Amino acid sequence: MSESELERRDVFWKMYQEHCTQGRHHETQRSTVATALIAIAAASIGFITLDRGLTRIDMPLTLFMVGVGVFGAAFSAKHYERFSLHMERGRAYRDELDSLLKGAPIKRLKNLADKEHTQHFPRLENLRLNAFWLIMYLFLCGLGVVLTGLAFMDAIPPPKL
């Protein structure tokens, strides 16, 4: 293999690694923000139920929960978009690197592993984690909407002491 081919291979490998690292970074950020937003939503529910009632006084917190859910869904979707971009770029560099190797072993091994994986997880394989993240945030948003509606109607007044 010539020196220029070795340099190309090295560049493709480093670019592949860089984009995989960037993809992991976006997933880590998404996970960290999810943890914080869930904690904030839980604290909001704690404050809402502190007096054991749900009245119009609680509406700012219930509306805040709606905002947390909407923000979380948008934030998660954006990070998934960035993650997907880096994974696509990484695949392109990996495929180009594979074309420089005799017999394209990377693609062959990938296809073999994918086939094995599909046999073990035929139903789960097509589920995307991004959908679970979005469902979680939409649940928080929906919970905030329901609590806002109940608070608006003074549906659950605090107990009289």
Side-chain angles (χ1 to χ4, degrees):
M1 193 173 273
S2 72
E3 188 174 329
S4 67
E5 287 176 316
L6 287 173
E7 287 174 358
R8 285 183 69 204
R9 190 170 65 181
D10 198 37
V11 167
F12 291 144
W13 174 248
K14 287 178 181 174
M15 292 303 294
Y16 170 75
Q17 286 180 310
E18 174 62 21
H19 286 288
C20 287
T21 299
Q22 287 296 319
R24 278 190 293 277
H25 172 70
H26 284 288
E27 287 299 295
T28 300
Q29 281 187 322
R30 181 161 58 162
S31 175
T32 301
V33 169
T35 301
L37 292 179
I38 290 169
I40 290 168
S44 296
I45 291 171
F47 283 120
I48 290 167
T49 60
L50 187 63
D51 57 5
R52 301 171 72 201
L54 186 60
T55 63
R56 289 184 181 170
I57 294 170
D58 296 311
M59 284 182 68
L61 283 173
T62 62
L63 291 170
F64 178 71
M65 279 187 60
V66 172
V68 166
V70 169
F71 173 79
F75 186 86
S76 181
K78 180 60 182 174
H79 274 284
Y80 180 69
E81 176 267 329
R82 297 272 79 190
F83 169 80
S84 294
L85 169 70
H86 288 293
M87 292 300 99
E88 284 297 323
R89 288 179 179 175
R91 278 189 283 276
Y93 286 114
R94 181 197 63 207
D95 292 346
E96 193 63 30
L97 174 63
D98 198 33
S99 72
L100 298 176
L101 302 173
K102 186 176 181 179
I106 296 172
K107 188 170 194 162
R108 182 178 50 78
L109 292 171
K110 180 200 168 299
N111 290 339
L112 186 65
D114 288 351
K115 183 179 177 185
E116 183 78 17
H117 175 82
T118 299
Q119 288 176 351
H120 285 98
F121 302 98
R123 291 184 183 98
L124 295 174
E125 181 182 33
N126 292 324
L127 292 176
R128 296 287 175 241
L129 285 175
N130 185 52
F132 289 101
W133 289 102
L134 290 176
I135 289 168
M136 177 190 65
Y137 288 121
L138 294 176
F139 174 78
L140 285 178
C141 182
L143 180 60
V145 168
V146 168
L147 291 174
T148 299
L150 292 172
F152 182 75
M153 297 184 306
D154 284 328
I156 307 171
K160 295 184 184 191
L161 300 175

